[in-house]
């Protein structure tokens, strides 16, 4: 789920389980019987305590080929969770087993905090929101 503050600055969570890809959008894997948007809404609520209003439009599909210790290709979807008020940002409650920090930064300030491919994904999602055209992203496990 892609979220920003009212000034359009991305909101990201620092994952405790992924030191090589620390800053992430709220999200996760599907439960049996779920559809992608249901998963995004549930995972966002579990990871932040927020019930987002959207517009909930599709911003990107993300394909990850097999790599590293992961033997399967995966596909994910990024939905637009909308703009958060300062009160909503302050109300974010993290699941300490998954995330230990939340930050709201200008896009350029994220670049030094994440691998190049993660930053490219962030820029693609920002572009999708700005243009209204969903992006197709290929994201790998390496640093390329």
């Amino acid at each position: 789920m892609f979220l920003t503050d009212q000034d359009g600055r991305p909101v990201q969570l620092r994952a405790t389980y992924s030191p090589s890809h620390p800053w992430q959008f709220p999200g996760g894997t599907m439960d049996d019987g779920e559809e992608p948007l249901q998963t995004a809404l549930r995972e966002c609520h579990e990871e932040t305590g927020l019930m987002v209003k959207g517009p909930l439009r599709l911003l990107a599909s993300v394909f990850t080929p097999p790599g590293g210790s992961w033997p399967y290709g995966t596909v994910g979807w990024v939905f637009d969770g909308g703009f958060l008020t300062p009160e909503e940002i302050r109300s974010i409650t993290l699941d300490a087993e998954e995330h230990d920090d939340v930050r709201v930064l200008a896009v350029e300030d994220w670049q030094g905090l994440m691998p190049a491919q993660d930053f490219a994904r962030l820029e693609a999602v920002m572009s999708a929101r700005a243009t209204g055209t969903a992006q197709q992203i290929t994201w790998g496990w390496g640093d390329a």
Side-chain angles (χ1 to χ4, degrees):
M1 188 67 67
F2 182 66
L3 304 164
T4 64
D5 69 359
Q6 293 177 324
D7 294 321
R9 297 179 303 175
V11 175
Q12 295 197 85
L13 312 178
R14 185 171 58 199
T16 59
Y17 54 84
S18 183
S20 59
H21 301 281
W23 293 100
Q24 305 175 2
F25 310 141
T29 58
M30 280 183 174
D31 285 345
D32 188 37
E34 276 186 329
E35 294 184 11
L37 181 56
Q38 291 172 308
T39 300
L41 289 167
R42 177 186 52 77
E43 285 282 349
C44 186
H45 183 258
E46 288 175 3
E47 294 181 358
T48 67
L50 298 173
M51 298 293 292
V52 297
K53 299 173 281 301
L56 302 177
R57 65 187 167 115
L58 180 66
L59 294 176
S61 65
V62 182
F63 170 69
T64 305
S69 63
W70 193 253
Y72 308 106
T74 63
V75 65
W77 296 269
V78 180
F79 294 95
D80 191 345
F83 299 87
L84 301 178
T85 66
E87 295 78 23
E88 288 171 318
I89 293 168
R90 283 192 298 274
S91 78
I92 291 174
T93 304
L94 300 176
D95 175 351
E97 291 185 17
E98 292 191 41
H99 301 98
D100 64 4
D101 195 10
V102 59
R103 292 190 191 172
V104 181
L105 300 172
V107 174
E108 59 273 11
D109 294 332
W110 283 112
Q111 190 167 13
L113 298 175
M114 51 194 348
Q117 67 180 2
D118 296 8
F119 185 72
R121 179 179 55 195
L122 173 62
E123 287 187 308
V125 170
M126 291 287 293
S127 175
R129 181 190 263 181
T131 65
T133 301
Q135 301 288 306
Q136 294 181 25
I137 302 166
T138 298
W139 183 91
W141 290 105
D143 292 329

